[in-house]
Amino acid sequence: MELTKKGHACVRLTKEGRTLVIDPGGFSEEDAAVGADAVLVTHEHPDHFDPNRLRAAMEANPAAEIWTLRSVAEQLTGAFPGRVHTVGRGDLVDAAGFEVEVHGELHAVIHPDMPRVTNVGYVVDGAVFHPGDALTVPDRPVDTLLLPVHAPWSKVSEVIDYLRAVRPRLAYDVHDGLLSENAHGVYGRMLGPDGPGAGGAEHVRLEPGSAVVVGDAR
């Protein structure tokens, strides 16, 4: 399975001629989801969920389908009847030939005075975990963690502790669209061998457009 990093929180996974896209939001490329056979959306915030990007994907491929939580699905089902599926914690679905497990329930706390929206994470083919905007620890081992490295709701100590808790073999940065080049360097040092320790995970930053092999075929 090949993973391609797109802008901010978005990634594309491809295998055997099929493509699954996760979180093609407003900070990702306008065509981030075009060509997808399946799209997963973790929650309703606009850096993860952009109706125009989803519409482009659904119109480009009339067989494409979306899996997401209720708050997003309710905004899409009218435009794409029968092609939008609601999921929640504990669900296991087949999305265009990708096995998807659903983990988590709530977005991380941004501030105690702000209500928490729902958020789910996805384990794809038992190998790659995208937690969305939460530090959800899945109740199963994962080889590759898509690490939300920077957000208004986190600090670097929490990111390090999250890596230690999940204990993946590899961690690739996502949710990095607000970081400058200087900040990438700081986070790289903190999460790398010169930092306090990331639980044995190898931390890697991928530039948008870069692709790597993940899962059993690596």
Side-chain angles (χ1 to χ4, degrees):
M1 182 165 58
E2 184 177 81
L3 180 150
T4 301
K5 173 75 166 70
K6 305 300 285 184
H8 193 53
C10 182
V11 298
R12 292 175 71 100
L13 296 168
T14 58
K15 69 172 186 179
E16 300 172 358
R18 299 185 300 275
T19 298
L20 180 148
V21 175
I22 306 176
D23 278 2
F27 294 168
S28 63
E29 300 80 355
E30 290 188 3
D31 63 350
V34 172
D37 299 288
V39 180
L40 308 178
V41 180
T42 62
H43 66 289
E44 65 197 69
H45 286 165
D47 56 327
H48 296 255
F49 164 50
D50 181 78
N52 291 330
R53 284 162 172 75
L54 293 176
R55 185 178 300 109
M58 299 293 268
E59 292 176 351
N61 179 4
E65 298 178 79
I66 297 170
W67 283 261
T68 186
L69 36 65
R70 185 175 304 279
S71 60
V72 173
E74 289 175 344
Q75 301 181 54
L76 299 171
T77 51
F80 305 106
R83 299 171 65 190
V84 181
H85 311 283
T86 301
V87 296
R89 179 181 181 180
D91 286 346
L92 176 65
V93 300
D94 182 301
F98 294 84
E99 183 180 270
V100 178
E101 302 171 18
V102 185
H103 294 259
E105 293 180 292
L106 290 172
H107 193 286
V109 175
I110 301 172
H111 188 276
D113 291 345
M114 296 179 66
R116 296 173 73 182
V117 300
T118 50
N119 176 97
V120 293
Y122 301 106
V123 174
V124 180
D125 281 355
V128 178
F129 181 46
H130 192 313
D133 274 10
L135 301 180
T136 301
V137 178
D139 55 5
R140 54 156 300 147
V142 291
D143 178 78
T144 302
L145 173 66
L146 302 179
L147 178 67
V149 68
H150 171 263
W153 44 265
S154 73
K155 54 186 179 181
V156 71
S157 63
E158 295 170 334
V159 175
I160 292 169
D161 287 345
Y162 181 53
L163 262 181
R164 292 175 176 178
V166 178
R167 299 187 65 82
R169 184 180 65 88
L170 286 167
Y172 293 113
D173 286 351
V174 292
H175 215 278
D176 55 358
L178 299 180
L179 290 179
S180 67
E181 283 302 313
N182 288 337
H184 277 297
V186 171
Y187 276 78
R189 287 192 296 275
M190 293 296 292
L191 295 167
D194 296 329
E202 179 184 354
H203 169 255
V204 180
R205 176 196 173 195
L206 294 177
E207 294 280 355
S210 299
V212 293
V213 175
V214 295
D216 293 339
R218 65 179 182 274

